[in-house]
Amino acid sequence: MKVSVIGTGYVGVVTGTCLAELGNSVTCIDVVKEKVDAINAGKTPIFEPGLEELIGKNLRAGRMKATLELAKAVLESEVTFICVGTPPKEDGSSDLSFIRKAAEGIGKAIAGKKEYHVVVVKSTVPPGTSESIIPILEKESRKKAGEGFGVAMNPEFLREGNAVKDFMEPDRVVIGGLSDKDVGIVAKLYAPFEGKHSVMRTNLRTAEMIKYASNSFLATKISFINEIANVCEKLEIDVLDVAKGIGLDSRIGPKFLNAGLGYGGSCFPKDVDALRHVAKQNGCEPELLDCVVKVNKQQAKKAIDYLKKALGDLNGKKIAVLGIAFKPDTDDIREAPAIRIINWLLEEKAIVTAFDPEAMGNAKKTLKGIVYAKDEYDCVNGADAMLVVTEWKQFGEMDLQKAKNTMKQAVIVDGRRIIDAKKAKASGFKYYGVGMKNE
Ligand SMILES: NC(=O)c1ccc[n+]([C@@H]2O[C@H](COP(=O)([O-])OP(=O)(O)OC[C@H]3O[C@@H](n4cnc5c(N)ncnc54)[C@H](O)[C@@H]3O)[C@@H](O)[C@H]2O)c1
């Protein structure tokens, strides 16, 4: 099928590339020229393992291109995916202005089109949003929904760092539609998945709610294990063993039970807040989700508590922060716990050196007043403590003896339990980890 994709952020570029890989002819659209140029040059505008190869392959096969010209790309396609951002507003609600703008553009573009066109919202949006763009599309296109065009909602569940695999081998595909016809047209794009992966057909609002409920549930799992970790610590029980023990229960499952310094990223904080906002707007008190957020906010502070326990006053102490991205295998630092932690360290007048394998470029744009290191060893050189904030594999594989030889004090605060505590102690480190017996 001929597909246009509006927005080439994480979701848009992965959606466009993977739909091309499935054999469709895809045009990716953005307002940022650098992103469009990058894609047309076979480069990925975001860091995502495996994506660049796939972009190059599909460009060469003539199945994929990028453009700044929305109207032409939409007109020449049968289905348009809206993958623009839905950032949080001050009150926790979602800013839907990018969605409306995209809908206006699509409406204008299809005004002169004879064939039926399906508009698919892929961005994460509050229930009711996909219905709310119908009047915009009708006004701009002077067509009636269900006659001249259709509307569908197809939430995206990809995880940054694993996005290509998540798209190509999903646990499920959810397609909500204004009508069975619209759902059916979108389902055709996912036909290669039939029999291998579940494709759930539903209405627009349910599809929107499934996405919010999924992210809120995962955030709840993280705050739950963090709360358990804090109790474990007091009782000198290792939360890793507890997580393993409960994760073996098939009703619970082992994923999202890694105790640490809390969740971040562009999705969980914003989606949980948006769902809380939607709940309140509709007369419900989201008490559980309020606590999930509260636990998460407190959890990052544990990094400072451990450092103070190990070093006393942090004024003038040199802290090596390992990891800035909100999780490994991404360069995304949106709502990353590291940002809050580094700012608290600076308030405490600590001297901060930081390193991240992929997020240095993004970090340098927003985080000032710190030193950026070349690698993890350069980062810990002369430090009073190393603080692991993001669980990059290479931090867990560090040569601890080599690190210790250049550090001022042998202290590890492992906010993600990625460094082997026994090995660290055997190498002469004082080791502090979330959810275990600490010194
Ligand atoms: N990042 C994720 O892991 C993830 C996962 C699932 C769902 N989502 C959801 O998907 C949506 C997009 O997220 P993202 O992280 O890809 O966002 P992003 O901010 O990285 O990218 C959005 C892109 O849309 C472009 N854009 C905005 N308005 C446009 C317009 N009118 N025409 C053309 N391009 C336009 C921007 O320039 C930008 O490149 C959000 O609702 C998000 O919540 C994100």
Side-chain angles (χ1 to χ4, degrees):
M1 287 171 86
K2 288 189 180 141
V3 178
S4 49
V5 177
I6 303 183
T8 63
Y10 283 87
V11 170
V13 72
V14 172
T15 300
T17 310
C18 291
L19 287 175
E21 179 68 12
L22 290 172
N24 301 288
S25 170
V26 179
T27 306
C28 294
I29 305 154
D30 210 292
V31 286
V32 180
K33 189 173 180 302
E34 292 78 47
K35 294 191 182 190
V36 167
D37 290 345
I39 294 171
N40 284 332
K43 301 248 176 301
T44 165
I46 53 159
F47 171 76
E48 189 61 47
L51 185 62
E52 195 145 289
E53 292 77 359
L54 222 52
I55 292 176
K57 180 183 165 198
N58 284 288
L59 276 178
R60 285 191 297 277
R63 285 192 297 262
M64 186 178 173
K65 60 177 188 281
T67 181
L68 291 163
E69 289 177 57
L70 185 143
K72 185 168 180 282
V74 169
L75 191 61
E76 287 172 358
S77 61
E78 302 157 79
V79 178
T80 301
F81 280 83
I82 300 180
C83 301
V84 298
T86 47
K89 293 207 270 193
E90 280 282 298
D91 62 358
S93 64
S94 302
D95 178 354
L96 300 174
S97 57
F98 298 102
I99 298 273
R100 292 195 195 101
K101 189 103 205 306
E104 262 175 45
I106 298 168
K108 286 192 176 94
I110 61 170
K113 192 179 170 188
K114 287 196 189 72
E115 301 83 16
Y116 196 73
H117 193 92
V118 180
V119 181
V120 190
V121 177
K122 206 173 216 335
S123 302
T124 303
V125 292
T129 304
S130 301
E131 285 160 60
S132 77
I133 65 166
I134 292 173
I136 301 173
L137 290 163
E138 289 187 328
K139 177 172 169 253
E140 300 297 340
S141 69
R142 294 182 298 279
K143 290 172 188 282
K144 263 197 86 59
E147 290 171 12
F149 66 89
V151 180
M153 202 285 147
N154 172 218
E156 182 49 59
F157 300 102
L158 64 78
R159 290 164 298 169
E160 288 177 20
N162 213 41
V164 173
K165 190 166 184 289
D166 284 346
F167 192 99
M168 299 303 269
E169 296 168 34
D171 285 341
R172 81 304 206 182
V173 173
V174 174
I175 308 169
L178 192 58
S179 67
D180 288 348
K181 176 179 169 182
D182 299 341
V183 174
I185 292 171
V186 180
K188 268 199 224 163
L189 290 167
Y190 293 103
F193 295 169
E194 299 274 1
K196 284 188 258 170
H197 309 286
S198 304
V199 178
M200 178 181 166
R201 297 169 182 234
T202 183
N203 59 33
L204 293 171
R205 278 180 187 219
T206 309
E208 291 165 333
M209 191 57 161
I210 287 170
K211 175 64 192 178
Y212 269 145
S214 296
N215 273 1
S216 297
F217 184 76
L218 294 173
T220 303
K221 250 184 133 176
I222 295 172
S223 279
F224 172 81
I225 200 65
N226 282 337
E227 188 162 286
I228 296 291
N230 296 340
V231 183
C232 281
E233 214 167 297
K234 298 279 182 208
L235 297 171
E236 302 191 348
I237 296 167
D238 193 331
V239 72
L240 296 188
D241 295 331
V242 175
K244 188 176 171 197
I246 61 175
L248 287 168
D249 185 328
S250 60
R251 293 169 302 177
I252 298 171
K255 294 183 181 161
F256 286 80
L257 287 179
N258 301 323
L261 297 175
Y263 61 78
S266 65
C267 292
F268 285 4
K270 135 179 120 58
D271 294 348
V272 175
D273 278 350
L275 182 52
R276 288 163 71 215
H277 193 267
V278 167
K280 284 188 189 135
Q281 255 186 338
N282 288 279
C284 301
E285 269 315 310
E287 292 180 35
L288 178 61
L289 294 180
D290 288 349
C291 292
V292 167
V293 173
K294 191 171 161 207
V295 169
N296 193 56
K297 283 204 174 127
Q298 287 161 355
Q299 198 64 17
K301 279 245 157 72
K302 297 220 61 150
I304 308 295
D305 296 345
Y306 294 131
L307 286 169
K308 283 190 173 167
K309 212 168 164 184
L311 306 173
D313 189 355
L314 299 179
N315 189 345
K317 298 278 170 23
K318 190 176 167 198
I319 310 298
V321 175
L322 295 178
I324 306 172
F326 82 94
K327 66 172 187 178
D329 296 323
T330 179
D331 61 354
D332 198 340
I333 60 163
R334 291 179 282 185
E335 297 288 323
I339 310 235
R340 268 175 293 147
I341 291 168
I342 288 172
N343 283 327
W344 288 326
L345 286 170
L346 294 176
E347 276 168 27
E348 297 279 344
K349 302 209 169 8
I351 301 158
V352 178
T353 304
F355 172 71
D356 188 284
E358 291 298 336
M360 301 292 268
N362 284 338
K364 283 177 187 168
K365 286 181 211 153
T366 49
L367 267 176
K368 307 287 174 199
I370 67 170
V371 178
Y372 288 98
K374 285 200 302 281
D375 59 28
E376 55 270 43
Y377 295 102
D378 182 33
C379 189
V380 301
N381 192 353
D384 290 287
M386 72 163 92
L387 166 65
V388 181
V389 183
T390 313
E391 61 273 39
W392 284 96
K393 199 161 166 260
Q394 68 198 66
F395 299 156
E397 293 169 350
M398 270 176 89
D399 178 339
L400 292 178
Q401 208 54 56
K402 183 176 160 189
K404 184 169 164 261
N405 290 343
T406 66
M407 287 178 71
K408 197 162 159 200
Q409 298 196 55
V411 173
I412 294 176
V413 172
D414 188 353
R416 299 293 178 184
R417 299 292 304 274
I418 188 168
I419 293 176
D420 189 315
K422 278 200 194 114
K423 273 195 200 152
K425 285 179 189 171
S427 302
F429 276 96
K430 273 190 175 178
Y431 177 96
Y432 297 81
V434 175
M436 60 177 281
K437 176 177 184 263
N438 280 312
E439 317 249 342

